[in-house]
Amino acid sequence: MPSVAWIDRQYDRESGGRFAAHVVAAGKEFAHCWGDVSPVGFACVAWRLATAPHLDPGYVRLHRRVLSAECVRNEWDGSLTVQARLVAPWPEALAGDRVWQQDRGWRGWPETFGQFLQPSQEELSRVPHVRSTLSVDAPVPLGALPPVPDGPGPAMVDLAERAVTVLVREVNELLGPMLTRLEA
């Protein structure tokens, strides 16, 4: 089964521990979490930092079909939800019968070196595109998440790394089978 998300520890080590430095530098983003009984807020911030676009490549890397994967607190009960957007093929209703295209040359997701890309403005000026995505909202079990520290300190980085490790495992368990099917 392909991994939906994985931690690139080797690159992080070779780059001088970028994630740890990023967590320490962004300590204020955790301020609302200190001493919280629920690990959700802390885990969400750690995930956001691990997948931050300016950490290119991120501490957590995502499969080429994953356009986004966010962890958010469910407003209803405070639980943790992963919200992901995945590149998908055209639905059968469009892929099976091409009459709807009316010879206009409709295209799906452009790919370069195996990566799905947004079509350029030049492409959009010449050819119409239909890009299918799946929106996934799924609850994440909290049991394995580490506790929230009482405040900033040396444990913050270790706990953030542990939270991200748990979230990577959960995201893979939730979305891995779906990704396997999309890749087939």
Side-chain angles (χ1 to χ4, degrees):
M1 179 171 9
S3 291
V4 177
W6 62 95
I7 297 172
D8 192 348
R9 287 188 174 89
Q10 180 178 346
Y11 184 84
D12 192 61
R13 266 192 311 274
E14 291 170 358
S15 301
R18 293 179 322 140
F19 181 63
H22 191 49
V23 167
V24 170
K28 291 179 183 176
E29 292 189 44
F30 290 100
H32 70 284
C33 305
W34 303 137
D36 194 343
V37 156
S38 170
V40 173
F42 186 83
C44 289
V45 173
W47 180 264
R48 187 171 62 250
L49 295 176
T51 58
H54 64 276
L55 273 188
D56 189 18
Y59 179 65
V60 170
R61 305 239 189 140
L62 301 171
H63 187 276
R64 68 190 193 100
R65 284 193 180 273
V66 181
L67 297 173
S68 65
E70 298 177 25
C71 291
V72 297
R73 182 186 299 264
N74 183 311
E75 304 257 342
W76 182 73
D77 65 356
S79 61
L80 180 59
T81 301
V82 63
Q83 295 177 333
R85 282 192 33 223
L86 307 175
V87 169
W90 286 352
E92 185 59 37
L94 295 179
D97 178 4
R98 304 241 173 175
V99 173
W100 63 272
Q101 291 187 17
Q102 300 173 353
D103 294 328
R104 294 180 186 256
W106 286 90
R107 294 188 184 160
W109 283 97
E111 287 185 65
T112 300
F113 301 114
Q115 293 298 313
F116 293 99
L117 307 170
Q118 299 291 337
S120 70
Q121 291 299 309
E122 180 184 353
E123 289 174 302
L124 291 174
S125 72
R126 292 183 282 130
V127 181
H129 285 75
V130 173
R131 296 177 311 280
S132 298
T133 59
L134 296 174
S135 295
V136 179
D137 296 285
V140 175
L142 304 180
L145 288 172
V148 178
D150 291 329
M156 180 174 73
V157 171
D158 179 55
L159 292 171
E161 288 175 352
R162 285 176 44 203
V164 168
T165 299
V166 169
L167 292 171
V168 164
R169 184 184 70 233
E170 295 296 337
V171 164
N172 281 324
E173 286 181 18
L174 281 167
L175 302 180
M178 190 181 309
L179 199 61
T180 297
R181 185 70 186 125
L182 288 171
E183 288 285 286

